[in-house]
Amino acid sequence: MVRPASPRPWAPRAGARTLVLERHGFLGGMWTAGMVLTLAGFNSWLRPYSRCVAGIGGEWVERAEQQDGARFDNGFVINTEPEVMKRVADELLQESGVEMLFHTWGATPIMEGPRVVGAFVENKDGRGAVLAGVTIDCTGDGDFIERSGAEWTKSDSLQPMTMSFRLSGAEPDPTVRHDVPTLLPIGPEAGVLRDPILTEYSSSRLDIVVDSAAMARAAERGELPRYGGPWFGGLDRDLVWVNSTRIVGDASVAAELSRAEIEGRQDTRRIVDYFTSSVPAFENAKLIQTSTQIGVRETRRLVGEVVMTGDDVRAARRFEDSIAVGCWPIDVHPTEKQVGTHSMFVPEPFDISYRVMVPREIDGLLAAGRCVSVDRDALGSMRVGATCAAIGHGAGVAAAVAIASKVQPRAVDIARVQAVLRGQGAIVDVDDVS
């Protein structure tokens, strides 16, 4: 939430006093609570492997790298350590003068007609209220979008959720390095990624070999639950992150989210049992951690002033009001397919319109992250962490500019927003990609 500027030096980077509400006891969302430690969307998969996200998100990873918590290379994903990412996030916000309230839920927006003017919140102190010039919905599920009365949509079939986990005591192939970037031999033209490249390069850890056909046969025999990949990551050779569980449900419904968390832990146990019995690298491995919260790919989406589509992504359509660049494939995890990998369209870097964050009728509110205004195919690309970080950076700057200009977010001078973003090191449009 961004409040009107005061004489105190709040959020000096953008000139607005800022309060961040976080339901966990730390920042980072899916990067930390969801334990998605292979950060997606920083780099294009296509030759020459261009960097597409920088700015505040890039600074976060660069600082983590200085503390041995990341390898900020040009691989198709960036490997990180969530514990370092948490601490660095604290440092960045404290240095910027941002106020933080952990263990706090934004319960519902405070409305004055068709305008959001703040939020009712719930935490250890009970129920309170926060007034704000601009409120930014970073819930992922579009909770404030829905409760404000803004128009939104949700697909009939939602991408499955994943509970990530980590195994210690792994013994990967010693002849393959785990600490070098994994580059996909595709491009520079956009196109569909299929086998054999899809399976051969599905993971950032090429030192861990799984017999995909044997694993699929085990699933057919009922020895395994529904699973994806599996995909592996991690900074340390013997400590391996796994993305594999695949839980179908609607995370915007409390009962379904609760069931998914339980099912995710049960499915993790079954997959680990298979790994330790059938995958040589994991013969002596042990499960040491599941994610704090299950990873969610898709729920509500805003219907905003612009709805970006899969065709926009495939064509790398340009937008004059671009505030960020996307480059991740159209990566829609299937609900119907029970196991393994799925084909993806790998685009050239593309502009992201500011208007995907702006509701059509509700003022005082912006959306950021995976609940922005996109269709399902575009969401498959734009839902990943680095892209969401870049969109969030754009939302924060736009909110500050709106307050300073005394206008609603839909009326901001986009050229001014773009100039501030570039001044903060952000990659604003495709022309900025090197």
Side-chain angles (χ1 to χ4, degrees):
M1 307 187 76
V2 181
R3 301 169 173 175
S6 71
R8 301 173 67 187
W10 299 107
R13 295 188 182 187
R17 184 180 177 187
T18 304
L19 171 66
V20 172
L21 307 178
E22 169 57 53
R23 65 171 170 158
H24 293 296
F26 51 85
L27 301 166
M30 287 294 101
W31 283 359
T32 53
M35 206 167 70
V36 183
L37 54 80
T38 56
L39 308 188
F42 275 106
N43 300 325
S44 172
W45 288 26
L46 302 173
R47 301 182 180 98
Y49 314 116
S50 303
R51 177 65 49 81
C52 295
V53 172
I56 302 300
E59 184 179 343
W60 191 356
V61 182
E62 287 171 357
R63 288 205 187 189
E65 184 175 44
Q66 294 167 7
Q67 300 182 29
D68 298 323
R71 280 197 302 271
F72 207 7
D73 52 38
N74 65 336
F76 78 95
V77 292
I78 304 297
N79 275 281
T80 63
E81 169 49 55
E83 294 305 315
V84 177
M85 294 293 287
K86 293 176 189 177
R87 186 175 64 246
V88 172
D90 291 340
E91 295 168 358
L92 282 169
L93 266 68
Q94 287 173 325
E95 291 170 12
S96 295
V98 172
E99 294 179 88
M100 293 177 284
L101 279 178
F102 291 148
H103 305 291
T104 299
W105 285 85
T108 190
I110 302 171
M111 305 296 298
E112 287 186 356
R115 178 185 173 194
V116 176
V117 295
F120 292 109
V121 302
E122 296 275 359
N123 60 21
K124 299 290 285 184
D125 301 329
R127 170 159 285 204
V130 179
L131 298 180
V134 178
T135 298
I136 304 173
D137 186 338
C138 298
T139 63
D141 298 321
D143 292 339
F144 265 51
I145 293 169
E146 188 268 339
R147 293 165 195 169
S148 72
E151 186 178 357
W152 57 275
T153 188
K154 186 194 297 181
S155 300
D156 293 334
S157 174
L158 300 174
Q159 296 179 69
M161 296 170 266
T162 291
M163 178 161 284
S164 299
F165 58 90
R166 289 207 274 190
L167 298 171
S168 67
E171 299 173 357
D173 183 345
T175 67
V176 179
R177 291 187 62 180
H178 77 289
D179 57 351
V180 295
T182 300
L183 307 174
L184 281 74
I186 55 177
E189 299 83 9
V192 178
L193 182 62
R194 298 187 176 94
D195 282 330
I197 294 176
L198 175 64
T199 298
E200 185 178 354
Y201 289 90
S202 66
S203 175
S204 69
R205 290 287 299 264
L206 302 181
D207 58 332
I208 300 169
V209 179
V210 174
D211 186 332
S212 300
M215 192 169 176
R217 289 194 296 270
E220 290 177 0
R221 295 191 298 268
E223 298 170 12
L224 283 167
R226 180 196 305 261
Y227 69 85
W231 300 282
F232 305 109
L235 291 171
D236 301 308
R237 177 175 285 275
D238 63 343
L239 181 60
V240 178
W241 170 83
V242 185
N243 170 355
S244 190
T245 63
R246 183 170 274 175
I247 316 300
V248 174
D250 186 345
S252 66
V253 177
E256 292 197 39
L257 180 59
S258 300
R259 174 194 55 79
E261 297 276 8
I262 294 169
E263 189 175 332
R265 286 186 283 271
Q266 293 171 338
D267 287 0
T268 293
R269 176 188 60 79
R270 295 178 65 190
I271 292 172
V272 170
D273 286 347
Y274 176 83
F275 282 168
T276 55
S277 65
S278 304
V279 178
F282 296 129
E283 182 179 359
N284 298 311
K286 292 184 178 180
L287 175 67
I288 61 166
Q289 185 183 17
T290 56
S291 56
T292 301
Q293 72 170 85
I294 199 164
V296 182
R297 295 184 174 90
E298 179 180 7
T299 52
R300 301 185 193 97
R301 306 188 304 274
L302 173 70
V303 178
E305 291 194 339
V306 162
V307 180
M308 284 188 62
T309 68
D311 288 342
D312 292 331
V313 173
R314 282 183 279 265
R317 179 185 171 191
R318 302 301 304 274
F319 289 91
E320 291 184 359
D321 66 340
S322 179
I323 45 78
V325 170
C327 62
W328 190 255
I330 295 178
D331 177 13
V332 180
H333 287 240
T335 303
E336 299 77 15
K337 185 178 181 182
Q338 298 290 313
V339 302
T341 57
H342 52 279
S343 62
M344 295 173 279
F345 181 88
V346 184
E348 296 177 1
F350 58 90
D351 291 348
I352 297 174
S353 169
Y354 168 68
R355 288 167 290 166
V356 301
M357 299 190 288
V358 182
R360 291 179 176 176
E361 297 179 350
I362 300 298
D363 285 324
L365 179 67
L366 289 170
R370 63 176 170 83
C371 57
V372 295
S373 179
V374 292
D375 73 3
R376 194 166 192 243
D377 278 359
L379 174 70
S381 173
M382 290 166 57
R383 63 177 174 78
V384 296
T387 309
C388 288
I391 294 170
H393 189 179
V397 168
V401 170
I403 289 170
S405 305
K406 298 181 180 180
V407 300
Q408 289 300 316
R410 72 181 71 257
V412 294
D413 179 349
I414 193 62
R416 183 176 172 188
V417 173
Q418 292 168 329
V420 173
L421 284 167
R422 287 191 173 98
Q424 296 180 357
I427 295 172
V428 169
D429 59 27
V430 169
D431 291 336
D432 294 337
V433 175
S434 58

